[in-house]
Amino acid sequence: MSDLRVRFAPSPTGTLHIGGARTALFNYLLARKEKGTFVLRIEDTDVERSTQESVDAILQAMDWLGLSYDEGPFYQSQRYDLYKAKVNALLESGAAYRCFCTAEELDAKREAAMQAGGKPRYDGTCRDRIDQPDAPYVVRFRSPLEGTTTFVDRIKGPISFDNAELDDLIIQRTDGNPTYNFVVVVDDAEMGITLVIRGDDHVNNTPRQIPMYTALGYDAPEFAHVPMILGADKKRLSKRHGATSVMDYRAMGYLPEAMVNYLVRLGWSCGDEEIFSMADLIEKFSLDNVGRSAGVFNPEKLLWLNEHYIKNGDPGRLGGLVAEVLAQQGVETTKGPDLAAVVKTLQDRAKTLVEMADGARFYYQAPTVYEAVAAAKFLTAESRPVLELLIRHLAEATGFDLAAIEAVFKQVMEESGLKLGKIGPVVRVALAGGSVSPSIYEVVAVLGREEVLTRMKKALASIS
RNA sequence: GUCCCUAUCGUCUAGCCUGGCCCAGGACACCGGCCUUUCACGCCGGCGACGGGGGUUCGAAUCCCCCUGGGGACGCCA
């Protein structure tokens, strides 16, 4: 166990997105690699937008990806007493003060400042006021006016801000609830977080938070800001770029290991290596190799990785997953051929579990209608003799493994004088209902003698 | 607008810190070929980048400066 303590702190206002998942992954990986502690904290101080459904969705997504945490989930909504006490401490020490400006006044000032071409900042109206009217107020943190705040980002290197750029941010709302920039400081400190790994969009918050650690009597943690993930148009990744939720990909038939592999390589690299198992990553991951610039989310590469993991996956496990997809589509898989055997015939031709399910369906549901074009071309009077020949020999074959089946086809080819190119398509339509299927010998073997004969006879009967 | 970050093939990136091994390597995608009973897989090959301008140096993708591009932040959201 090392002293490293990291955390993932999502706000439950939606599902777990690609970007959040990567941040969580980086935290997880570093914690596991350094044998540190990974804390999960739910940032639900925005009562309006936080929902239990979102919490569940996030937890579920993390579980799917295999990102286990050591402590938590902690809910900020259950820690208000702590925040309240800290706000009061700041008020007493003078590090914070009450501000009686109304939201409307503030909006107007912000608008004006923006118009004037400046940075919209709080003008400090209540910073030094002595009277304390009996009116609604917010609490603001007294930020330093001069000097520079610098920190060394573990990914980006030294970053510094002029304190004059900062304004006094609100740490407690009119309704008494604390705000993000405050609770994040209190919690990261109270939970002993030593390294904050979070999105790039928080670099600007960092110089505002550092003085708060000091005012509260805490040591500031280290920071590592992970670059943003962009869409193909270089704009911040959002719904209009298509599926951005991790679970959307699960629904589309993606494997969690493909998602993890893709996510980690977006912004991190290890020489020329492309394929990483979670175990590899725990061994090899390092903040030193995380890039500093934003990256574009590339669904094609994710697809390729998924294809890779499907191709190399354990047939038994994949079979279970495909069965789930099929079940959702109302296809029963408990009766037909062995799922693992079915999967083996499809691993080289499916890029997703959904595609695999599409390819596997015919094994469990005999064709009720034949694909029109294929039937017109192959289920003709001309193919009757071939089907009859096949039915006879297949029924008589001593074994029914690949070798036996191949022998039967060889024999039929000889007797009919036809090449496999003529016979294969006929059998394919009869068994699978269309012109696309795995290798015909494999299909025959997996389907089994009884089912093959049934389907062939049915096809034969359809030719009239 | 102000501030912060950032910049190698269309995309993800290696190389940059510790200049020469780089007329820049890998992967995805794309294109062509081979294999082939369908669809795929696989294999082989190809296209394709150091944003621009100044420096420093015998020598720069690598170091420095400026410009430009891109992203982010500027909320009683997180």
Side-chain angles (χ1 to χ4, degrees):
Chain A
M1 213 64 170
S2 78
D3 293 335
L4 179 75
R5 288 178 62 84
V6 295
R7 49 67 159 186
F8 176 53
S11 59
T13 54
T15 54
L16 183 62
H17 276 232
I18 300 289
R22 189 181 56 159
T23 302
L25 176 62
F26 282 9
N27 272 286
Y28 168 84
L29 255 19
L30 199 67
R32 291 293 170 267
K33 178 183 176 171
E34 306 288 337
K35 301 211 185 323
T37 306
F38 182 32
V39 179
L40 178 63
R41 184 174 71 225
I42 304 299
E43 312 230 312
D44 54 354
T45 52
D46 184 345
V47 193
E48 298 284 301
R49 300 196 301 154
S50 300
T51 65
Q52 186 58 45
E53 293 74 64
S54 296
V55 172
D56 294 341
I58 290 167
L59 260 28
Q60 199 182 14
M62 287 183 69
D63 184 57
W64 182 65
L65 290 171
L67 308 182
S68 57
Y69 37 89
D70 308 301
E71 293 178 18
F74 296 112
Y75 293 81
Q76 292 186 321
S77 56
Q78 293 171 7
R79 297 163 63 82
Y80 276 27
D81 288 349
L82 170 66
Y83 308 138
K84 196 83 192 172
K86 295 298 175 186
V87 167
N88 288 336
L90 252 26
L91 238 21
E92 268 170 47
S93 72
Y97 62 90
R98 295 185 174 82
C99 169
F100 300 86
C101 297
T102 65
E104 292 70 37
E105 289 169 359
L106 262 19
D107 285 344
K109 284 177 182 174
R110 189 165 26 244
E111 199 63 36
M114 202 78 111
Q115 214 84 82
K119 190 166 183 167
R121 301 160 45 222
Y122 176 60
D123 62 1
T125 302
C126 301
R127 188 174 169 106
D128 298 310
R129 73 186 292 163
I130 323 198
D131 63 320
Q132 297 285 291
D134 182 23
Y137 63 86
V138 297
V139 176
R140 285 183 185 273
F141 177 72
R142 199 182 297 275
S143 294
L145 262 18
E146 299 169 336
T148 307
T149 296
T150 303
F151 64 97
V152 180
D153 192 279
R154 287 281 299 273
I155 291 172
K156 293 171 182 289
I159 297 178
S160 63
F161 289 81
D162 259 337
N163 288 338
E165 291 294 330
L166 277 29
D167 64 353
D168 296 342
L169 81 200
I170 294 171
I171 59 177
Q172 187 180 87
R173 304 180 174 97
T174 307
D175 63 6
N177 290 328
T179 61
Y180 166 77
N181 271 300
F182 180 68
V183 295
V184 80
V185 167
V186 172
D187 280 341
D188 283 337
E190 291 289 330
M191 294 178 183
I193 302 304
T194 58
L195 204 213
V196 172
I197 302 174
R198 63 188 4 171
D200 218 349
D201 46 342
H202 285 292
V203 278
N204 293 277
N205 285 146
T206 310
R208 302 161 77 84
Q209 292 169 1
I210 288 174
M212 283 197 273
Y213 281 99
T214 311
L216 254 7
Y218 298 126
D219 285 331
E222 282 195 285
F223 296 93
H225 289 98
V226 181
M228 298 275 87
I229 296 179
L230 277 22
D233 56 359
K234 295 282 181 80
K235 299 293 179 199
R236 194 183 184 137
L237 193 64
S238 68
K239 312 95 249 155
R240 59 191 187 75
H241 290 107
T244 52
S245 162
V246 164
M247 291 316 244
D248 286 344
Y249 284 91
R250 171 157 99 150
M252 292 189 287
Y254 285 71
L255 260 13
E257 56 267 46
M259 181 57 82
V260 164
N261 198 146
Y262 177 72
L263 252 22
V264 81
R265 274 289 286 108
L266 212 196
W268 174 84
S269 61
C270 184
D272 285 341
E273 294 179 64
E274 293 287 348
I275 305 298
F276 301 93
S277 67
M278 195 64 105
D280 291 335
L281 292 172
I282 289 171
E283 184 190 327
K284 296 172 177 171
F285 185 76
S286 163
L287 249 27
D288 299 338
N289 300 316
V290 173
R292 288 164 301 168
S293 55
V296 174
F297 177 66
N298 181 211
E300 266 97 38
K301 189 146 185 182
L302 207 207
L303 218 211
W304 172 74
L305 280 163
N306 201 55
E307 187 182 353
H308 168 84
Y309 284 105
I310 281 188
K311 199 171 304 171
N312 300 94
D314 171 66
R317 171 187 168 229
L318 259 23
L321 263 15
V322 167
E324 283 177 26
V325 178
L326 251 13
Q328 281 168 16
Q329 300 170 347
V331 180
E332 183 62 57
T333 52
T334 48
K335 289 236 164 36
D338 175 55
L339 276 161
V342 166
V343 166
K344 283 182 189 168
T345 69
L346 261 11
Q347 278 181 294
D348 279 348
R349 45 199 104 222
K351 296 187 200 301
T352 68
L353 291 173
V354 171
E355 267 185 36
M356 191 177 264
D358 288 342
R361 193 174 298 113
F362 83 88
Y363 282 111
Y364 301 96
Q365 288 185 335
T368 47
V369 289
Y370 299 107
E371 190 185 290
V373 179
K377 193 170 176 189
F378 302 115
L379 292 185
T380 61
E382 210 182 1
S383 48
R384 293 192 70 124
V386 183
L387 277 173
E388 283 165 351
L389 220 46
L390 276 167
I391 290 170
R392 182 148 48 88
H393 286 117
L394 246 15
E396 290 166 354
T398 42
F400 213 71
D401 57 9
L402 237 34
I405 291 163
E406 194 172 340
V408 168
F409 273 77
K410 284 255 165 59
Q411 194 180 348
V412 171
M413 280 186 263
E414 273 174 32
E415 291 181 19
S416 65
L418 295 172
K419 292 187 175 175
L420 189 56
K422 285 288 178 190
I423 301 175
V426 176
V427 178
R428 180 166 286 112
V429 178
L431 301 183
S435 56
V436 175
S437 87
S439 155
I440 209 66
Y441 298 153
E442 287 179 21
V443 170
V444 170
V446 172
L447 231 28
R449 181 168 358 220
E450 194 186 339
E451 185 64 21
V452 167
L453 292 177
T454 304
R455 293 190 188 188
M456 281 188 171
K457 285 172 186 166
K458 193 175 162 192
L460 192 57
S462 79
I463 302 172
S464 51

